[in-house]
Each structure stands twice: as C-alpha cells, then as structure tokens.
C-alpha cells in the first residue's frame, strides 16, 4: 500500500470515482469525481488532533460498524494516504476540528466535489467484490442472535489492529468464547442466493480456525462444510495442518441455528455425515463464512466502461482461456475478484498480468484498430442533392458524422467504431460498412437460404454478444436445431431491414434478430438503434399476417449459451407447428410485400453481382469442374 | 482491383479443419472440401488435421503461393478463437489479411449438433458456402493506426489494483490509481493474517 503512494509514477487518487469514460483504445478520456474530503490532502499531516476533539461518533465502515469513528477521522491508522476526511452526514459543524488543526489550516468546510478529465491510453478494472449479507438467511439468525457473526466481523475482532486490540470477545457479554463453529458456504453453492462456489472460503475458514487455535489452544473449533476445496499449491497441506491441530471438520450443511435465551449460547443443527445422523451442538459463538458477490455498483461500472457481465454479475473476460484478462473492449483489462471470486495469490497474479496487458498498449506509439468503418457513397446521398435528411447523424452513437445541409455527410474515420447503425438506417442505402457490405451480407443470406429455405432459421447475431452466446451453446454442447443458419455482423444496429425482407422474400422459415442486452452494447446505443428498427418490423409483419414467432427479437449475451439454444429450439417449434402447405402459402402471399420493401437494396453497387454469384452457388452443386482436393 | 496478388481473377482457396475429432468426429471434412471445390471461383479446397497448427498454417501459405490464391476461406472454429491467427497466416503469405473469411463449423455446428451428423454435415457445407460467397466480395483493407496516450488508469485500489498499478509504474508508465474509499487497501487491508503463509495483510 505504502509502495503505491511512494512510487513517483503512481498517482493515487482516493475518495475518487470514475464518472464517465469516452474514446477508444489508446485514446480514452476519463471523467473523475474527486469527492470533497473537506481536508486538504497536501496540508493534513495525519496527526489526529482534529478527531480527538470531535464530539461526534458514527459507525466505522472499515471496522464493519462494530467500532466507532469520529465525524472527522481516518478509516484506520495505516490509511494510505493518511489524510482525514469529514463525514458531512454526521458532522454538526461545531468547528472544533478547525481550531485543533490550528496553523496547518488543512480543514475547509467549503470544499466541493471536483470533476476532472484525464487522457488515458489503457485501463485496468480492479473493483473487487462484496460480501453476501447473511441476514437474508433467516435460519442462521444473523442480526437476531448477537453471538452469530460474519467472517469479516471475526477478522476485525481477532486482529491486533482491530477495535478490541485482538482480544476476541463475544458480542453478547464480552467474554472470551471457548467454542466456536465456523459455517461454510453461507450464501454460496445455494440456489436461493448464489449457485456458484466462492472459491476462497474453504481456505479462509481453515485460516481463521488455525489462527484461533494458535491464539487459544484450548478453544473447541468446528468447521461445517459441504466439501473442502483446497486445489492450489500448499493448500491441502495447510488443511492437513489444521486437522492435526485438533480442529474438527464436520461434513454437513447446518439447516438451523437456535439460541439459549439465558446464556445466549448458540446451537447448530446439522447433519454430520461421519455419524450418519442429524446433530445439535452447542457453541459460544458462530462465524458465518459469507459468499463473495459482485460489488453493488458493478452495473454502473459496467455501463460506464462498456464492459459485459456474466450472469452472476461478475465482469466478463473476452475469452475464458485465451484472453482471460481482456474485456471485449480493446484497451480495458480485468484484475482480481471483479472478474469472479479470487484469493489473494490469484488477485496479485492477475494484477501483474493485467499490468502487462495494459502495458502492451501504452508502450506502443500507435495502435492498430479494425478498418470496419462506415463509408458514404456521395452519389446516392439525397442530402448531397440538396434534400433534407440527417438520419445517419441521429443513428451514430459517437457523433462521428459531420453533417451539413446540401452536402453528403462526412464520417470521421478515427471516431467511427464500426457498429454499422448509420449504414442500416440510411433510407437510400448511401452508406456502406467496410468488411460488412450489403453485397457481402446479401451473398451470405442467399447462400444460407439456397436449399429448402422454408425449413431454415436464419439467425442474425452481433459479434460481441449473441455470436458469443451461440459459441457458448456449442462449447456447452447444448443441442439446438441444426436448421439454424447463423450470420455475423458487428452490432444489431447493422441488421438492415433490407436483410430481413430479403430473407423472407427468399422464403426463410424464420428469422432471428439477436444482439446484446441494451446495457451490454459495445457501441453505446447501437443496440437501441437496432431494437427500434426490429420492433417496427415486428409490427409490420404482424399487420401483413405473418405467423407470430417467425420473426423473433432476442437479446442474448455471450454468457447465455443456454438461452441461444432455447430460443432457436422454440423457433423450430413454431415452424413445426405450422402445416407445410400453410407455411408455403404464407411465404408466397408475403413475397410481393417483401420484394417491394427490399427493392431499394437492389440499387446498391455489387448487389446484382452478389445475387448472381450466390445463385451460382445454389445451382452450382457439381456444375463446375471440381478443384482438386 | 478485383483480386489481389496482382491479378483480376478471383481465386478462392478453402481449408477444412478436422480439429482432431472435434469436427471430424461428427462430419467428414473431406466431404465438405469436395463440395466446396465445386463452388464458383474456388480453385483449391483441401482438408487439414489442425488448420491452426504449424503444419496447417504452412499448408495455407504454400497453397496461397502455389495456386496464386487471392481469397482464403478457413472452415474451422469461431472467429473469436482464431480469426487473428488466420489473418496473420494470409498476411505472411503476402495477402491482405482482410481477404480471409472464416466459417464456424465447430462451436456453431459439430459441437452443437453432435447427435445429428447428417444435419451437421449439411449445415457445415452451407456455412462454408456462405463464407465463400462473402469471400468473393472481400476487399483488401488497411488497419487504422491511432496514436496512444502513454498513461494508464487502474480503477480500484485493492490488492489486485495496487499490484497492477505498481507493475505498470515499474514499467515506466504514468499510472492513476483511482479508489472510491478514502484509503487504498480494499478488503485485504481489513484482514488479519493471510493464508497459506500466515503473513500480515498490509
């Protein structure tokens, strides 16, 4: 901690939050809110005279609220930086602290939050985790029975720097406990709260048991567990040491804790698998080993930084094996438990790894980004002909389109992120996206629907989420209908209405329009541009009599492989439920409508060529001399 | 310019990956390769045990040069897995990296439809053909080069963030360490001793 504050290249900004992040790899702009401390960092010398005279005491978050702090105080004596701050919610503004501070003149009641902008090349997210609140598990009586405490409360009570100076006392009567039960998996591996394993708590239970046994050799210690998981180096040996110290490990998940109202001792009711029966044992105290859960503001961080979350709320890595420290946003990396529960050795290792990944970016003089940007065909733009338009400007989430009436818009390449929203929205097909041109996509659509289109489910997926969801369905070997034919674009914003009309014109049985959940969109508001269009089309299709379910809109994240498989299977069920002749009839009836709707796309350069090429593929089974294999 | 390699004829090479048994255990890549060979503008269509391995990469490079290919389709796994790999391969062989297109016949085909090999084969052919169709219209593109601000930001001053900030700083990078609480240290600073070595946490 101190190393960080002393390092000349580290600028420690405590009591500061990230409000906004704009820009892209190598060129981020971050807006930071420096919260008002009401104490000048450069003047405060940490003497503590102010806290001594302060008459107000409030709970100290750092001590899990089991000890007080003054309205002007530091979290702990080893705070870095050792600078006091005033909790204005509890301060009565008696100004005794100002007097005590005297000539240092470090206190300023008029201080306000400051907003500052910083230019940043790369970002490491290390926002950590939070602890599950066990009061939600009423069977354990936390909050009702004073001698049932959490693991973090135990950390402070059995800590020489803690409020009792390391003298472990039980909250009900201040006596030293002679027996303690530690209960594992409180809120983890529990389908009511968090189904996953919190990774480090088995070792954490053993650590606390060993520490207590070393400090109080006569103490009776039991650890209740479902499984003991000690997979890392030296961990199993540590567990072995605990058993040799006489700590009792009981396999069983306690179902109930009760209290003797007189002694306030607690009874743990649990199965004991060694004995093969349910037991009821009395202890002076119980420590609940809480699950690790995502930070309460993880959603905010994820939307500010444009990074994705896994279903449990942890930040999602680009690829669990190949790029475990990267986020899908180039230039932003993950370290520590914000990505998933992790112990200290793993967090330190990941911090070092993320620093190396982030260093790769900032040590480069320039960084290469994909050229999949939007380009305007001036001769097709009606604005260039003097007509009013500007649709493209409204679709752009980045403000990268310069528009002036009477001229074709200009796209600032360095600002364009390549979502394709303007391309799909342009009513005159006057914009294209490099590497995802209308001709390229049309050629794919036609090829995928070349054979028995009425049986096919054509699935448009965005690169970042739904394509990843489809990948995960495969990785997890979730069986879904093999009639699905997938097609990838960068964002649902690029899923042009023309593509959907064209797919149905060609006789597609069903079409899936699938992208990120709105908060996960890789292009700020790209998903919303796509969603608005898709919803409009859904209404149109209803109006013209399309069977419900043949066109479906779904937001599927890269972590939702199960959802991808389920959605495709449900679409297959819709197709199976329509008699073959009826479906054919419906397709034919709607064809003129689709043809009319998609007609403008036909004017786009290369479209006819793409159509005839795809036709050759469709008819070309064996017509060309086979290239040698 | 229609093609690359200095000629105007589109010459597509298709490479079918077995991925050991991951793909070949469900469908026969040779059958897909034979089918792809019949598609317009496909001048080479070959299968290989592992397209991403050295041997597979060398094969692709040799075939590009030997047959003057100017478009490459790799029918293998997810673009999220190996698009950078195969872009680099075609680049080494002198082609623009954007003249390579992948068909995902592993994650999105054989892994999902392992119990329906016939349908999986039909789908794998269709996905490969769609990649060929797109490849026909690919154009060479240059990466966009952007300048880089030589400064990093670490959000969160717990044990992971502190280590990341120190390592970046030791690399010589100006680093801002942002922490929302009044002190850095995070959960780690609240702990007594830490396992397995039992040393103190701060």
């Amino acid at each position: 901690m101190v190393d960080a504050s002393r390092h000349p290249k580290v600028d420690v900004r405590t009591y500061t939050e990230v409000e906004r992040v704009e820009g892209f790899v190598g060129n981020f702009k971050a807006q930071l809110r420096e919260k008002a401390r009401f104490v000048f960092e450069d003047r405060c010398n940490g003497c503590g005279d102010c806290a001594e005279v302060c008459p107000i005491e409030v709970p100290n978050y750092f001590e899990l609220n089991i000890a007080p702090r003054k309205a002007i105080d530091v979290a702990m004596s080893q705070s870095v930086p050792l600078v006091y701050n005033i909790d204005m919610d509890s301060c009565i503004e008696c100004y005794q602290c100002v007097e005590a501070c005297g000539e240092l003149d470090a206190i300023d009641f008029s201080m306000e939050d400051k907003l500052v902008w910083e230019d940043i090349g790369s970002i490491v997210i290390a926002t950590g985790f939070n602890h599950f609140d066990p009061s939600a598990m009423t069977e354990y009586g936390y909050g009702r029975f004073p001698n049932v405490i959490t693991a973090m409360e135990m950390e402070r009570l059995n800590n020489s720097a803690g409020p009792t100076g390391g003298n472990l006392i039980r909250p009900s009567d201040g006596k030293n406990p002679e027996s303690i039960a530690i209960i594992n998996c409180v809120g983890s591996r529990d389908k009511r709260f968090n189904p996953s394993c919190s990774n480090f708590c088995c070792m954490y239970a053993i650590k606390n048991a060993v520490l207590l046994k070393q400090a109080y050799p006569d103490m009776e210690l039991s650890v209740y567990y479902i499984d003991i998981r000690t997979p890392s180096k030296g961990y199993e040996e540590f567990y072995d040491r605990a058993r040799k110290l006489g700590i009792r490990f009981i396999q069983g998940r306690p179902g109930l804790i009760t209290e003797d109202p007189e002694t306030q001792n607690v009874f743990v009711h649990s199965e004991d698998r060694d004995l093969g029966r349910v037991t009821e044992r009395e202890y002076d105290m119980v420590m609940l080993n809480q699950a690790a859960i995502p930070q309460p503001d993880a959603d905010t961080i994820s939307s500010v930084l444009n990074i994705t979350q896994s279903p449990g709320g942890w930040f999602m890595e680009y690829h669990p094996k190949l790029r475990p420290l990267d986020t899908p946003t180039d230039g932003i990396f993950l370290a520590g438990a914000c990505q998933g529960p992790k112990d200290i050795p793993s967090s330190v290792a990941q911090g070092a790894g993320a620093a190396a990944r982030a260093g790769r970016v900032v040590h480069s003089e320039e960084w290469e980004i994909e050229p999949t940007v939007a380009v305007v065909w001036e001769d097709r733009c009606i604005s260039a002909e003097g007509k009013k338009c500007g649709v493209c400007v409204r679709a752009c989430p980045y403000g990268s389109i310069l528009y002036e009436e009477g001229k074709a818009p200009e796209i600032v390449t360095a600002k364009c992120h390549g979502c394709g929203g303007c391309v799909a929205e342009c009513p005159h097909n006057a914009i294209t996206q490099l590497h995802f041109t209308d001709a390229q996509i049309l050629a794919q659509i036609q090829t995928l629907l070349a054979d028995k289109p009425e049986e096919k489910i054509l699935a448009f997926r965005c690169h970042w989420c739904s394509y990843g969801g489809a990948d995960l369905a495969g990785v997890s070997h979730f069986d879904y209908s093999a009639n699905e034919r997938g097609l990838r674009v960068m964002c649902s914003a690029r899923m042009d209405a023309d593509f959907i009309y064209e797919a149905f014109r060609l006789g597609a049985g069903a079409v899936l329009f699938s992208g990120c959940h709105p908060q996960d969109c890789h292009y700020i508001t790209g998903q919303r541009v796509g969603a608005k269009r898709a919803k409009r089309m859904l209404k149109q299709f209803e109006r013209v009599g399309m069977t419900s379910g043949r066109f479906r809109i779904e937001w599927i994240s890269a972590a939702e492989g199960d959802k991808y498989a389920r959605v495709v299977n449900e679409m297959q069920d819709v197709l199976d439920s329509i008699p073959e002749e009826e479906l054919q009839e419906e397709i034919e009836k709607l064809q003129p409508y689709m043809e009319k709707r998609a007609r403008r796309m036909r004017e786009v350069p290369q479209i006819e060529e793409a159509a005839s090429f795809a036709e050759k593929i469709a008819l070309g089974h064996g017509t060309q001399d086979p290239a040698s294999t | 310019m229609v093609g690359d390699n200095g000629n105007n004829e589109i010459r597509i090479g298709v490479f079918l990956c077995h991925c050991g048994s991951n793909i070949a255990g469900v469908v026969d890549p040779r059958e897909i390769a034979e089918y792809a060979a019949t598609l317009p503008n496909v001048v080479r269509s070959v299968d290989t045990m592992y397209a991403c391995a050295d041997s597979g990469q060398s094969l692709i490079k040799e075939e590009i040069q030997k047959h003057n290919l100017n478009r490459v389709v790799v029918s293998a796994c997810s673009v999220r897995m190996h698009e950078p790999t195969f872009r680099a391969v075609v680049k080494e062989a002198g082609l623009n990296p954007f003249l390579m297109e992948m068909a995902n016949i592993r994650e999105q085909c054989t892994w999902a439809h392992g119990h329906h090999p016939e349908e999986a084969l039909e789908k794998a052919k269709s996905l490969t053909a769609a990649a060929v169709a797109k490849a026909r219209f690919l154009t060479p593109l240059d990466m966009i080069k952007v300048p880089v601000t030589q400064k990093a930001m670490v959000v969160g001053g717990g044990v992971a963030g502190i280590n990341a900030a120190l390592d970046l700083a030791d690399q010589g990078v100006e680093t801002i360490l942002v922490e929302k609480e009044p002190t850095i240290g995070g959960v780690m600073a609240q702990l007594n001793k830490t396992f397995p070595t039992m040393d103190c946490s701060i």
Side-chain angles (χ1 to χ4, degrees), chain B residues 85-105:
Chain B
T85 312
F86 296 116
R87 278 188 180 168
V89 170
V90 303
K91 192 177 173 190
E92 279 173 40
L95 272 189
N96 181 287
F98 289 87
L99 298 177
M100 190 284 301
E101 182 68 19
M102 285 184 81
N104 183 344
I105 61 166

Side-chain angles (χ1 to χ4, degrees), chain B residues 4-82:
Chain B
D4 205 13
N5 272 2
N7 76 56
N8 286 332
E9 182 200 345
I10 301 275
R11 297 175 64 82
I12 304 173
V14 182
F15 298 87
L16 266 302
C17 181
H18 290 235
C19 195
S21 61
N22 284 302
I23 292 169
V26 178
V27 298
D28 184 355
R30 282 168 301 188
E31 211 178 323
I32 308 167
E34 277 166 28
Y35 160 75
T38 66
L39 300 174
N41 291 89
V42 173
V43 295
R44 283 295 285 169
S45 181
V46 288
D47 61 293
T48 172
M49 184 53 81
Y50 289 105
C52 62
D54 267 357
S55 54
Q57 296 192 21
S58 307
L59 172 80
I60 296 170
K61 283 187 263 190
E62 281 163 23
E63 293 281 318
I64 290 172
Q65 273 147 8
K66 203 159 134 198
H67 298 278
N68 208 18
L69 305 175
N70 51 28
R71 298 289 185 283
V72 169
V73 168
V74 183
S75 202
C77 53
S78 168
V79 294
R80 287 162 72 97
M81 186 99 181
H82 274 313

Side-chain angles (χ1 to χ4, degrees), chain A residues 446-458 482-485 503 506-510 572 575 580 583-584 587 618 621, chain B residues 119 122 126:
Chain A
Q446 295 208 334
T447 309
L448 292 172
L449 295 174
D451 194 27
K452 298 188 190 138
E454 68 284 357
E455 291 178 4
K456 302 294 183 295
I457 300 160
L458 188 70
N483 286 330
E484 178 260 15
R485 293 288 182 271
L506 291 165
Q572 182 63 53
L575 288 183
E580 215 173 294
L583 179 64
Q584 207 53 52
I587 289 170
H621 301 204
Chain B
E119 292 172 30
E122 195 194 323
S126 174

Side-chain angles (χ1 to χ4, degrees), chain A residues 247-321:
Chain A
I247 294 157
R248 182 156 55 167
F249 287 85
I250 300 169
Q251 190 171 30
R253 173 176 227 158
L256 183 68
I257 293 177
T258 53
E259 186 196 50
D260 179 335
E262 258 175 50
T263 60
Q264 293 192 295
N265 284 354
V266 274
F267 296 90
V268 176
H269 304 252
S270 176
E271 181 191 7
D272 182 332
R273 292 192 60 181
D274 286 343
L275 300 180
R277 61 181 170 84
V278 175
T279 59
E280 180 190 324
R281 292 193 173 94
E282 185 176 358
Y283 299 94
D284 289 347
M285 248 174 119
V286 165
M287 174 191 125
L288 302 176
N289 209 354
Q290 310 139 276
I293 56 170
Q295 289 280 29
D297 58 356
D299 290 352
T300 315
I301 299 167
S302 125
S303 67
V304 165
L305 287 147
N306 216 337
I307 50 178
T308 326
Q309 286 165 280
S310 309
W314 305 103
F315 296 144
M316 197 165 169
E317 61 288 331
Y318 186 92
H319 190 285
K321 282 179 287 182

Side-chain angles (χ1 to χ4, degrees), chain A residues 155 158 370 471 484 624, chain B residues 39 78 87 123 151 192:
Chain A
E155 283 295 340
N158 189 31
E370 296 238 337
D471 270 2
E484 178 260 15
Q624 194 195 351
Chain B
L39 300 174
S78 168
R87 278 188 180 168
K123 179 171 169 180
K151 196 173 190 179
N192 190 357

